[in-house]
Amino acid sequence: MDIKWDNVKNAIFTGNIAGIPILVKRAISDGLPAQDILNKGLIAGMSIVAEKFKSNEIFVPEVLISAKAMQAGLDILEPLLVKAGFNPAGKIVIGTARGDLHDIGKNLVSMMLKGGGFSVIDLGIDVAPRRFIDEAIKSDAEVIAMSSLITTSMPSMKATIDLLKSENLSAKIKTVIGGAPVTQEYADEIGADGYADNASSAVDKLKELLEL
Ligand code: B12
Protein backbone atom coordinates (compact mmCIF):
# COMPACT_ATOMS: atom_id res chain seq x y z
CA MET A 1 0.00 0.00 0.00
CA ASP A 2 2.71 2.43 1.05
CA ILE A 3 4.39 4.00 -1.91
CA LYS A 4 8.04 4.80 -1.37
CA TRP A 5 8.61 8.20 -2.90
CA ASP A 6 12.34 7.49 -2.85
CA ASN A 7 11.76 4.66 -5.34
CA VAL A 8 9.98 7.02 -7.73
CA LYS A 9 12.60 9.74 -7.30
CA ASN A 10 15.36 7.22 -7.80
CA ALA A 11 13.73 5.82 -10.93
CA ILE A 12 13.63 9.36 -12.38
CA PHE A 13 17.22 10.01 -11.36
CA THR A 14 18.53 6.75 -12.82
CA GLY A 15 16.40 7.17 -15.94
CA ASN A 16 14.45 3.98 -15.43
CA ILE A 17 12.12 4.51 -18.39
CA ALA A 18 10.53 1.06 -18.06
CA GLY A 19 10.17 1.26 -14.27
CA ILE A 20 8.51 4.65 -13.94
CA PRO A 21 5.20 3.69 -15.61
CA ILE A 22 4.95 0.67 -13.30
CA LEU A 23 5.57 2.78 -10.19
CA VAL A 24 3.15 5.49 -11.29
CA LYS A 25 0.42 2.97 -12.13
CA ARG A 26 0.95 1.33 -8.75
CA ALA A 27 0.63 4.67 -6.99
CA ILE A 28 -2.59 5.39 -8.90
CA SER A 29 -4.08 2.02 -8.01
CA ASP A 30 -3.12 2.66 -4.38
CA GLY A 31 -5.47 5.63 -4.60
CA LEU A 32 -2.87 8.40 -4.39
CA PRO A 33 -3.86 11.76 -5.89
CA ALA A 34 -2.25 12.41 -9.28
CA GLN A 35 -1.03 15.77 -7.96
CA ASP A 36 0.93 14.04 -5.17
CA ILE A 37 2.46 11.54 -7.58
CA LEU A 38 3.53 14.46 -9.72
CA ASN A 39 4.94 16.65 -6.94
CA LYS A 40 6.34 14.16 -4.44
CA GLY A 41 7.55 11.66 -7.04
CA LEU A 42 8.27 12.96 -10.53
CA ILE A 43 9.09 16.62 -9.85
CA ALA A 44 11.04 15.74 -6.69
CA GLY A 45 13.08 13.26 -8.77
CA MET A 46 13.72 15.86 -11.45
CA SER A 47 14.92 18.32 -8.78
CA ILE A 48 17.63 15.87 -7.80
CA VAL A 49 18.60 15.60 -11.46
CA ALA A 50 18.74 19.41 -11.68
CA GLU A 51 21.00 19.65 -8.61
CA LYS A 52 23.41 16.97 -9.81
CA PHE A 53 23.53 18.50 -13.28
CA LYS A 54 24.33 21.87 -11.77
CA SER A 55 27.18 20.47 -9.71
CA ASN A 56 28.59 18.58 -12.70
CA GLU A 57 27.94 15.18 -11.14
CA ILE A 58 25.87 14.15 -14.16
CA PHE A 59 25.82 15.39 -17.75
CA VAL A 60 23.42 15.98 -20.66
CA PRO A 61 22.97 12.30 -21.70
CA GLU A 62 21.95 11.30 -18.18
CA VAL A 63 19.61 14.28 -17.90
CA LEU A 64 18.03 13.37 -21.20
CA ILE A 65 17.31 9.83 -20.04
CA SER A 66 15.82 11.18 -16.80
CA ALA A 67 13.70 13.57 -18.86
CA LYS A 68 12.40 10.61 -20.87
CA ALA A 69 11.54 8.75 -17.66
CA MET A 70 9.74 11.87 -16.42
CA GLN A 71 7.78 12.06 -19.68
CA ALA A 72 6.83 8.36 -19.40
CA GLY A 73 5.34 9.14 -15.98
CA LEU A 74 3.61 12.29 -17.19
CA ASP A 75 1.99 10.39 -20.07
CA ILE A 76 0.24 8.16 -17.56
CA LEU A 77 -0.72 10.97 -15.20
CA GLU A 78 -1.99 13.32 -17.90
CA PRO A 79 -5.57 11.98 -18.25
CA LEU A 80 -5.99 12.14 -14.47
CA LEU A 81 -4.63 15.66 -14.19
CA VAL A 82 -6.77 16.79 -17.09
CA LYS A 83 -9.99 15.12 -15.94
CA ALA A 84 -11.31 18.14 -14.04
CA GLY A 85 -12.43 20.56 -16.74
CA PHE A 86 -15.10 20.15 -19.42
CA ASN A 87 -16.00 23.54 -20.92
CA PRO A 88 -12.90 25.23 -22.22
CA ALA A 89 -12.41 28.28 -20.03
CA GLY A 90 -10.35 29.98 -22.70
CA LYS A 91 -8.00 29.17 -25.53
CA ILE A 92 -4.24 29.19 -24.95
CA VAL A 93 -1.42 28.77 -27.44
CA ILE A 94 1.68 27.50 -25.62
CA GLY A 95 5.24 26.76 -26.63
CA THR A 96 8.91 26.96 -25.71
CA ALA A 97 10.63 30.10 -27.01
CA ARG A 98 12.82 30.08 -30.10
CA GLY A 99 16.26 28.54 -29.60
CA ASP A 100 15.13 26.53 -26.58
CA LEU A 101 14.54 22.79 -26.58
CA HIS A 102 13.46 22.30 -22.95
CA ASP A 103 9.87 21.13 -22.72
CA ILE A 104 9.27 19.31 -19.45
CA GLY A 105 8.03 22.40 -17.59
CA LYS A 106 6.06 23.61 -20.60
CA ASN A 107 4.39 20.20 -20.91
CA LEU A 108 3.46 20.35 -17.23
CA VAL A 109 1.94 23.80 -17.60
CA SER A 110 0.07 22.64 -20.68
CA MET A 111 -1.29 19.66 -18.80
CA MET A 112 -2.34 21.72 -15.79
CA LEU A 113 -4.06 24.25 -18.03
CA LYS A 114 -6.03 21.46 -19.67
CA GLY A 115 -6.89 20.25 -16.17
CA GLY A 116 -8.03 23.79 -15.37
CA GLY A 117 -10.51 23.59 -18.23
CA PHE A 118 -8.56 25.55 -20.84
CA SER A 119 -8.32 24.53 -24.45
CA VAL A 120 -4.59 24.27 -25.15
CA ILE A 121 -2.77 24.32 -28.46
CA ASP A 122 0.79 23.16 -27.86
CA LEU A 123 3.26 24.30 -30.51
CA GLY A 124 6.16 22.36 -29.00
CA ILE A 125 9.71 23.65 -28.74
CA ASP A 126 11.81 26.27 -30.54
CA VAL A 127 8.78 28.37 -31.49
CA ALA A 128 9.48 31.58 -33.41
CA PRO A 129 7.59 34.81 -32.55
CA ARG A 130 5.81 34.85 -35.92
CA ARG A 131 4.55 31.32 -35.41
CA PHE A 132 3.19 32.04 -31.91
CA ILE A 133 1.20 34.94 -33.31
CA ASP A 134 0.00 33.25 -36.51
CA GLU A 135 -1.23 30.24 -34.56
CA ALA A 136 -2.96 32.44 -31.98
CA ILE A 137 -4.77 34.36 -34.72
CA LYS A 138 -5.67 31.17 -36.59
CA SER A 139 -7.15 29.49 -33.54
CA ASP A 140 -8.65 32.67 -32.06
CA ALA A 141 -6.69 32.17 -28.84
CA GLU A 142 -6.91 34.69 -26.00
CA VAL A 143 -3.43 33.99 -24.62
CA ILE A 144 0.07 33.13 -25.81
CA ALA A 145 2.02 31.29 -23.08
CA MET A 146 5.79 31.08 -23.51
CA SER A 147 8.37 29.00 -21.69
CA SER A 148 12.10 29.68 -21.52
CA LEU A 149 14.71 27.64 -19.66
CA ILE A 150 17.89 29.11 -21.09
CA THR A 151 18.73 32.77 -20.82
CA THR A 152 19.55 32.97 -24.52
CA SER A 153 15.94 32.20 -25.48
CA MET A 154 14.44 34.88 -23.22
CA PRO A 155 14.83 37.71 -25.78
CA SER A 156 12.65 35.72 -28.16
CA MET A 157 9.74 36.10 -25.72
CA LYS A 158 10.29 39.86 -25.81
CA ALA A 159 10.38 39.71 -29.62
CA THR A 160 6.98 37.99 -29.63
CA ILE A 161 5.48 40.65 -27.35
CA ASP A 162 7.02 43.45 -29.44
CA LEU A 163 5.61 41.91 -32.61
CA LEU A 164 2.15 41.63 -31.05
CA LYS A 165 2.33 45.29 -30.07
CA SER A 166 3.50 46.38 -33.51
CA GLU A 167 0.52 44.60 -35.03
CA ASN A 168 -1.87 46.16 -32.50
CA LEU A 169 -2.81 42.74 -31.18
CA SER A 170 -1.61 43.08 -27.58
CA ALA A 171 -5.02 44.13 -26.25
CA LYS A 172 -6.70 41.13 -27.87
CA ILE A 173 -4.04 38.48 -27.23
CA LYS A 174 -2.49 38.41 -23.77
CA THR A 175 0.93 36.98 -22.97
CA VAL A 176 2.08 34.87 -20.05
CA ILE A 177 5.66 33.75 -19.53
CA GLY A 178 7.54 31.36 -17.29
CA GLY A 179 10.49 29.01 -16.90
CA ALA A 180 13.32 28.70 -14.38
CA PRO A 181 15.31 31.86 -15.29
CA VAL A 182 12.21 34.01 -15.78
CA THR A 183 11.04 36.40 -13.04
CA GLN A 184 8.16 38.77 -12.44
CA GLU A 185 10.65 41.63 -12.93
CA TYR A 186 11.57 40.31 -16.35
CA ALA A 187 7.90 39.90 -17.26
CA ASP A 188 7.31 43.54 -16.27
CA GLU A 189 10.37 44.67 -18.16
CA ILE A 190 9.29 43.10 -21.46
CA GLY A 191 5.62 43.95 -21.02
CA ALA A 192 4.20 40.45 -20.54
CA ASP A 193 0.70 40.44 -19.05
CA GLY A 194 1.50 37.65 -16.62
CA TYR A 195 4.14 35.44 -15.02
CA ALA A 196 3.93 32.33 -12.88
CA ASP A 197 6.70 30.28 -11.34
CA ASN A 198 4.96 26.92 -11.45
CA ALA A 199 2.28 25.02 -13.29
CA SER A 200 -0.51 25.40 -10.75
CA SER A 201 -0.01 29.12 -10.30
CA ALA A 202 0.00 29.38 -14.11
CA VAL A 203 -3.63 28.20 -14.02
CA ASP A 204 -4.51 30.81 -11.37
CA LYS A 205 -2.74 33.54 -13.31
CA LEU A 206 -4.60 32.67 -16.51
CA LYS A 207 -7.95 32.65 -14.71
CA GLU A 208 -7.12 36.04 -13.21
CA LEU A 209 -6.07 37.47 -16.58
CA LEU A 210 -9.16 36.22 -18.36
CA GLU A 211 -11.36 37.23 -15.41
CA LEU A 212 -12.76 33.71 -15.00
C1 B12 B 1 16.19 18.61 -18.18
C2 B12 B 1 17.20 19.64 -18.65
C3 B12 B 1 17.69 19.51 -19.96
C4 B12 B 1 17.21 18.44 -20.93
C5 B12 B 1 15.86 18.91 -21.53
C6 B12 B 1 14.92 17.77 -21.83
C7 B12 B 1 13.54 18.28 -22.13
N1 B12 B 1 12.84 17.49 -22.94
O1 B12 B 1 13.08 19.32 -21.70
C8 B12 B 1 18.38 18.43 -21.98
C9 B12 B 1 19.42 17.44 -21.56
C10 B12 B 1 17.98 18.15 -23.43
C11 B12 B 1 18.95 19.84 -21.78
C12 B12 B 1 19.68 20.49 -22.75
C13 B12 B 1 20.32 21.70 -22.52
N2 B12 B 1 20.37 22.37 -21.35
CO1 B12 B 1 19.28 21.99 -19.90
N3 B12 B 1 18.47 21.63 -18.17
C14 B12 B 1 17.64 20.69 -17.79
C15 B12 B 1 17.36 20.87 -16.26
C16 B12 B 1 18.29 19.92 -15.50
C17 B12 B 1 15.96 20.65 -15.78
C18 B12 B 1 14.87 21.45 -16.49
C19 B12 B 1 13.53 20.86 -16.14
O2 B12 B 1 12.97 20.10 -16.92
N4 B12 B 1 13.05 21.15 -14.92
C20 B12 B 1 11.82 20.58 -14.40
C21 B12 B 1 10.61 21.43 -14.80
C22 B12 B 1 9.35 20.82 -14.19
O3 B12 B 1 10.79 22.73 -14.29
P1 B12 B 1 10.73 24.05 -15.20
O4 B12 B 1 11.11 23.74 -16.57
O5 B12 B 1 11.43 25.15 -14.49
O6 B12 B 1 9.18 24.41 -15.27
C23 B12 B 1 8.40 24.86 -14.19
C24 B12 B 1 8.38 26.39 -14.00
O7 B12 B 1 9.56 27.03 -14.47
C25 B12 B 1 7.14 26.85 -14.70
N5 B12 B 1 7.13 27.10 -16.14
C26 B12 B 1 7.86 26.55 -17.12
N6 B12 B 1 7.48 27.00 -18.32
C27 B12 B 1 6.47 27.87 -18.12
C28 B12 B 1 5.71 28.60 -19.02
C29 B12 B 1 4.70 29.44 -18.53
C30 B12 B 1 3.87 30.21 -19.49
C31 B12 B 1 4.48 29.54 -17.12
C32 B12 B 1 3.45 30.46 -16.63
C33 B12 B 1 5.25 28.79 -16.23
C34 B12 B 1 6.23 27.96 -16.73
O8 B12 B 1 6.24 25.76 -14.45
C35 B12 B 1 6.96 24.52 -14.56
C36 B12 B 1 6.31 23.49 -13.70
O9 B12 B 1 6.17 23.88 -12.35
C37 B12 B 1 17.76 22.39 -16.07
C38 B12 B 1 18.17 22.80 -14.66
C39 B12 B 1 17.18 23.71 -13.97
N7 B12 B 1 17.47 24.02 -12.75
O10 B12 B 1 16.20 24.16 -14.53
C40 B12 B 1 18.88 22.55 -17.12
C41 B12 B 1 19.18 23.92 -17.70
C42 B12 B 1 17.91 24.69 -18.01
N8 B12 B 1 19.86 23.58 -18.96
C43 B12 B 1 20.84 24.35 -19.24
C44 B12 B 1 21.66 24.24 -20.40
C45 B12 B 1 22.84 25.18 -20.47
C46 B12 B 1 21.35 23.32 -21.42
C47 B12 B 1 22.10 23.13 -22.74
C48 B12 B 1 22.58 24.40 -23.44
C49 B12 B 1 23.27 22.16 -22.43
C50 B12 B 1 24.23 21.89 -23.55
N9 B12 B 1 25.46 22.27 -23.28
O11 B12 B 1 23.87 21.39 -24.59
C51 B12 B 1 21.07 22.40 -23.59
C52 B12 B 1 20.10 23.40 -24.26
C53 B12 B 1 19.73 23.12 -25.64
C54 B12 B 1 18.66 24.11 -26.07
N10 B12 B 1 18.92 24.82 -27.13
O12 B12 B 1 17.63 24.24 -25.45
C55 B12 B 1 21.03 25.44 -18.18
C56 B12 B 1 20.59 26.84 -18.65
C57 B12 B 1 21.54 27.91 -18.14
C58 B12 B 1 21.21 29.28 -18.61
N11 B12 B 1 21.61 30.23 -17.82
O13 B12 B 1 20.63 29.53 -19.62
C59 B12 B 1 20.26 24.83 -16.96
C60 B12 B 1 19.65 25.88 -16.01
C61 B12 B 1 21.27 23.93 -16.19
C62 B12 B 1 22.44 24.70 -15.58
N12 B12 B 1 22.38 25.06 -14.33
O14 B12 B 1 23.41 24.97 -16.24
N13 B12 B 1 18.63 20.32 -20.54
Side-chain angles (χ1 to χ4, degrees), residues 113-133:
L113 288 175
K114 287 184 200 163
F118 291 94
S119 161
V120 180
I121 299 152
D122 191 336
L123 304 180
I125 52 175
D126 191 21
V127 182
R130 184 73 268 159
R131 177 141 186 259
F132 269 120
I133 295 174

Side-chain angles (χ1 to χ4, degrees), residues 63 99-105 146-147 149-151 178-180 196-199:
V63 178
D100 200 326
L101 309 178
H102 295 85
D103 67 356
I104 297 174
M146 294 178 277
S147 177
L149 265 289
I150 46 176
T151 46
D197 71 355
N198 65 62

Side-chain angles (χ1 to χ4, degrees), residues 34-103:
Q35 193 75 47
D36 276 4
I37 305 171
L38 176 67
N39 291 328
K40 297 182 187 167
L42 304 185
I43 291 185
M46 210 58 205
S47 308
I48 303 174
V49 174
E51 275 167 35
K52 305 265 181 200
F53 187 49
K54 206 169 163 184
S55 57
N56 290 322
E57 287 172 71
I58 58 168
F59 301 96
V60 172
E62 287 98 321
V63 178
L64 201 50
I65 298 169
S66 292
K68 284 199 177 133
M70 171 102 182
Q71 195 58 52
L74 289 178
D75 288 346
I76 293 166
L77 281 183
E78 177 163 19
L80 296 172
L81 292 167
V82 166
K83 221 173 177 178
F86 296 105
N87 300 323
K91 209 176 257 182
I92 320 290
V93 162
I94 192 168
T96 303
R98 186 172 54 192
D100 200 326
L101 309 178
H102 295 85
D103 67 356

